[in-house]
Amino acid sequence: MAARPPRHPDFRTLLRSGAAYVLLMVVSGAFMLPFVWMLSMSLQDAQGVYAVPFRWVPPSPQWENYAEVFRLVPFARYLLNTVVITLAVLIGTLLSSSLVAYGFSRIRFRGRDLFFAVCLSTMMLPGQVTMIPLYVFFARLGWIDTFLPLIVPAFFGSPFYIFLLRQFFMTIPREYDEAALLDGAGRLRIYWSIILPQARPALITVGLFTFIGTWNDFFGPLIYINSTQNATLTLGLSMLKTQIVGSGVTQWHLLMAAAMLVMIPNVILFFIAQRHLVKGIATGGLR
Amino acid sequence: MRRVFGRSGHNLTGYGFIAPWLIGFLAFTAGPILVSLFISLNSWSLLSDPHWVGFENYSRIFEEDPLFFTSLWNTTYYVIFTVPLGLAVSLALALLLNQPLRGVGAFRTIVYLPSIANIVAVSVLWLWIFNPEFGLLNSALRVFGVDGILWLQSERWAKPALVIMSLWGVGGSTIIFLAALQGIPPELYEAASLDGAGAARKFFHITIPMISPALFFSTVIGIIGSFQVFAQAYVMTGAATPGSEGGPNNATLFLVLYLYKKAFQEFRMGYAAALAWILFFIILIFTLMQTRLSRRWVYYESEGG
């Protein structure tokens, strides 16, 4: 905020940043604590969970809790299902949303602005309104307990991502397309080999949001998937919770290990792609 | 200028490009909206044919369904507390994280992380944090001499518990505010300092107006999102038997949870569709109210001139 820091910071500045550091430590400590506690819980033995006072560092860390989760429930299967669904949704969303965004940003056609306004306004519609007819529709198609209701809609564009990509496409100079158009390149060609390569940062942002959203989705799998073998990680974790809490057998250490396993891919992805994510959220919020 | 983009022949190309959305809109949004209206005017269990009842579902909801009002109250309570508290906390965090300090990036990461974590995993974690005997929260409170709050097991504390949990996930709006704060030209503060303005004056007369679009955006998104609260309540409240979700004496029966139970546990599709429409109108009214009010307090640079 300050224009340029003085070469020798005076006492007040030092005090100020000292206080800010202390405050930052306390706040981020509070934000980290649940994660640390979760990790610690996941490495306790069955009794350690109930130890008073709680031993933050378990006397003998039970790493096999994580292996036990794979024996207790078909966790590998959940993982595979989640990966398949997420990949398909990623491909569908990126392709369809960018195609539509190209149409809205680069081609003039009758009713374009009206269509775009309709597209934006559907963002306002809570999913619950269409949920029941869609369930009935997918049930009639025989798609219940398959991945299709979770995947197929992604191939028809998502309004928010169409909006984000359109905003980005509009910043790409039109001279590129015009030159290519005069050279006889078709629209699809321009979209594929001129616009998409230049829009990489925006596509990465959309991809990240889609990944996180699909990986974490709970409502969709909860409604459409009803067998264990087709469950996703999120749904599987919810079923495991019901099983463990309902059985009365105290296996909270295993539940925490499973929750850790479900959380970890997101966290890793976050650390790899932090910059893009933060930028995407900031621009998404500041239209 | 060459009119490369204006020919009428581009109509077809244009429709071609937006076709995925257009088809999807008709099949997955517009069509279902109409069907949803129709279903809400029927009594339908999926097993037999729908049977026309007119507005009976709606009149039953408002006249004979105390659980609807319970869920409406629970949801309103949740929105009223999570949205303003969330805004205040995330703004305070953004101001703190905007300090020009070395290593502040690591702190930003830590604050942001919970907001992208898997909601079911987070719910499982907090379920145990709220455990009255062994949970992290009561262990911490015991240090201050507070003990015995039953949190999710108590009718009185179940909703506050979910509000507290929601504050852990404010990282998203914190990042939005942070970006807005960084967009404020430093000259404004320098000029204000020269005029002798104090920190409070600068905050209320520069910071708040300059980030008001971000505040507005976060408020609207927050209201829409918290009206649809579901997963936490589904995973964290109620015993293991299906149907008991919604917490002690329905204290955490939120609108979407109630709707879910009607549709997918009781298979009363008409009734659930009517509930969905009521939810839609409630959200719409709140959003329109916000948009209306925003004209008074949201400042857009491009308009301000």
Side-chain angles (χ1 to χ4, degrees), chain A residues 235-253:
Chain A
L235 183 61
L237 182 61
S238 164
M239 297 190 310
L240 180 65
K241 177 247 144 192
T242 309
Q243 187 190 322
I244 282 184
V245 174
S247 69
V249 183
T250 49
Q251 291 176 309
W252 274 92
H253 52 307

Side-chain angles (χ1 to χ4, degrees), chain A residues 195-245:
Chain A
I195 298 294
L196 283 194
Q198 298 213 51
R200 250 191 82 190
L203 291 170
I204 290 175
T205 302
V206 169
L208 284 168
F209 281 145
T210 308
F211 181 96
I212 291 174
T214 315
W215 193 271
N216 286 349
D217 184 23
F218 178 54
F219 208 86
L222 179 67
I223 291 176
Y224 293 118
I225 306 288
N226 38 37
S227 69
T228 311
Q229 60 174 17
N230 287 331
T232 59
L233 282 173
T234 311
L235 183 61
L237 182 61
S238 164
M239 297 190 310
L240 180 65
K241 177 247 144 192
T242 309
Q243 187 190 322
I244 282 184
V245 174

Side-chain angles (χ1 to χ4, degrees), chain A residues 1-283:
Chain A
M1 226 159 25
R4 36 198 94 69
R7 198 164 284 258
H8 300 288
D10 56 85
F11 181 66
R12 270 190 58 191
T13 322
L14 273 177
L15 198 70
R16 210 182 115 113
S17 40
Y21 270 121
V22 171
L23 209 55
L24 277 172
M25 296 281 192
V26 172
V27 167
S28 51
F31 270 80
M32 270 314 275
L33 204 61
F35 283 129
V36 177
W37 192 62
M38 187 183 190
L39 176 66
S40 169
M41 286 273 295
S42 75
L43 297 173
Q44 305 279 349
D45 55 25
Q47 284 81 44
V49 173
Y50 303 101
V52 178
F54 185 70
R55 280 170 304 201
W56 285 83
V57 180
S60 58
Q62 307 287 307
W63 291 101
E64 53 271 37
N65 285 349
Y66 285 87
E68 185 62 30
V69 170
F70 280 85
R71 280 192 290 272
L72 196 66
V73 285
F75 216 77
R77 181 72 201 218
Y78 298 160
L79 183 65
L80 178 72
N81 293 342
T82 312
V83 168
V84 168
I85 293 171
T86 305
L87 280 181
V89 168
L90 258 180
I91 294 168
T93 304
L94 286 173
L95 270 180
S96 60
S97 297
S98 63
L99 217 84
V100 175
Y102 178 86
F104 277 134
S105 62
R106 279 299 203 264
I107 303 169
R108 267 190 211 149
F109 53 91
R110 196 167 311 208
R112 183 182 71 174
D113 295 344
L114 178 72
F115 282 124
F116 188 60
V118 171
C119 177
L120 287 187
S121 66
T122 57
M123 279 199 280
M124 291 269 307
L125 192 77
Q128 288 80 21
V129 170
T130 51
M131 169 181 94
I132 289 164
L134 283 178
Y135 178 83
V136 175
F137 177 52
F138 291 137
R140 290 272 151 99
L141 292 175
W143 286 6
I144 300 303
D145 205 28
T146 71
F147 298 162
L148 292 171
L150 306 173
I151 291 174
V152 171
F155 281 82
F156 294 89
S158 153
F160 180 59
Y161 300 141
I162 293 173
F163 168 77
L164 272 186
L165 290 171
R166 173 184 173 269
Q167 299 302 94
F168 194 89
F169 290 175
M170 307 234 289
T171 64
I172 301 172
R174 272 182 184 232
E175 284 72 31
Y176 290 117
D177 328 24
E178 290 188 36
L181 210 60
L182 292 175
D183 284 348
R187 288 290 191 181
L188 269 176
R189 184 87 206 250
I190 294 172
Y191 154 78
W192 188 257
S193 44
I194 293 180
I195 298 294
L196 283 194
Q198 298 213 51
R200 250 191 82 190
L203 291 170
I204 290 175
T205 302
V206 169
L208 284 168
F209 281 145
T210 308
F211 181 96
I212 291 174
T214 315
W215 193 271
N216 286 349
D217 184 23
F218 178 54
F219 208 86
L222 179 67
I223 291 176
Y224 293 118
I225 306 288
N226 38 37
S227 69
T228 311
Q229 60 174 17
N230 287 331
T232 59
L233 282 173
T234 311
L235 183 61
L237 182 61
S238 164
M239 297 190 310
L240 180 65
K241 177 247 144 192
T242 309
Q243 187 190 322
I244 282 184
V245 174
S247 69
V249 183
T250 49
Q251 291 176 309
W252 274 92
H253 52 307
L254 298 182
L255 195 51
M256 286 297 168
M260 281 295 285
L261 286 171
V262 173
M263 249 187 208
I264 282 168
N266 263 342
V267 174
I268 293 174
L269 184 78
F270 173 75
F271 279 105
I272 296 173
Q274 210 189 133
R275 205 165 37 92
H276 288 285
L277 256 178
V278 168
K279 225 161 112 190
I281 294 167
T283 45

Side-chain angles (χ1 to χ4, degrees), chain B residues 74-141:
Chain B
N74 289 340
T75 313
T76 313
Y77 179 108
Y78 185 76
V79 174
I80 284 177
F81 283 97
T82 49
V83 176
L85 277 175
L87 285 176
V89 170
S90 50
L91 182 56
L93 285 171
L95 288 168
L96 185 61
L97 293 169
N98 194 33
Q99 299 300 314
L101 298 169
R102 202 160 298 163
V104 77
F107 295 112
R108 286 178 192 160
T109 305
I110 291 171
V111 169
Y112 181 56
L113 208 51
S115 67
I116 57 152
N118 187 295
I119 184 66
V120 174
V122 168
S123 300
V124 165
L125 166 62
W126 281 81
L127 186 53
W128 197 245
I129 287 182
F130 286 127
N131 183 289
E133 266 182 274
F134 308 102
L136 187 59
L137 192 60
N138 274 4
S139 306
L141 287 177

Side-chain angles (χ1 to χ4, degrees), chain B residues 36-105:
Chain B
S36 175
L37 266 178
F38 174 77
I39 293 177
S40 79
L41 301 174
N42 282 272
S43 168
W44 192 21
S45 69
L46 283 184
L47 295 172
S48 54
D49 284 335
H51 137 81
W52 184 266
V53 294
F55 285 95
E56 200 181 296
N57 287 326
Y58 293 92
S59 58
R60 272 215 197 143
I61 288 170
F62 284 110
E63 284 161 22
E64 297 164 28
D65 189 354
L67 273 185
F68 164 71
F69 287 100
T70 306
S71 70
L72 182 62
W73 158 244
N74 289 340
T75 313
T76 313
Y77 179 108
Y78 185 76
V79 174
I80 284 177
F81 283 97
T82 49
V83 176
L85 277 175
L87 285 176
V89 170
S90 50
L91 182 56
L93 285 171
L95 288 168
L96 185 61
L97 293 169
N98 194 33
Q99 299 300 314
L101 298 169
R102 202 160 298 163
V104 77

Side-chain angles (χ1 to χ4, degrees), chain B residues 119-168:
Chain B
I119 184 66
V120 174
V122 168
S123 300
V124 165
L125 166 62
W126 281 81
L127 186 53
W128 197 245
I129 287 182
F130 286 127
N131 183 289
E133 266 182 274
F134 308 102
L136 187 59
L137 192 60
N138 274 4
S139 306
L141 287 177
R142 252 172 242 137
V143 177
F144 301 99
V146 182
D147 198 9
I149 300 179
L150 292 176
W151 297 113
L152 296 166
Q153 295 161 26
S154 111
E155 200 179 329
R156 181 159 161 220
W157 287 100
K159 279 189 286 284
L162 293 182
V163 172
I164 292 171
M165 177 182 149
S166 79
L167 294 180
W168 195 51

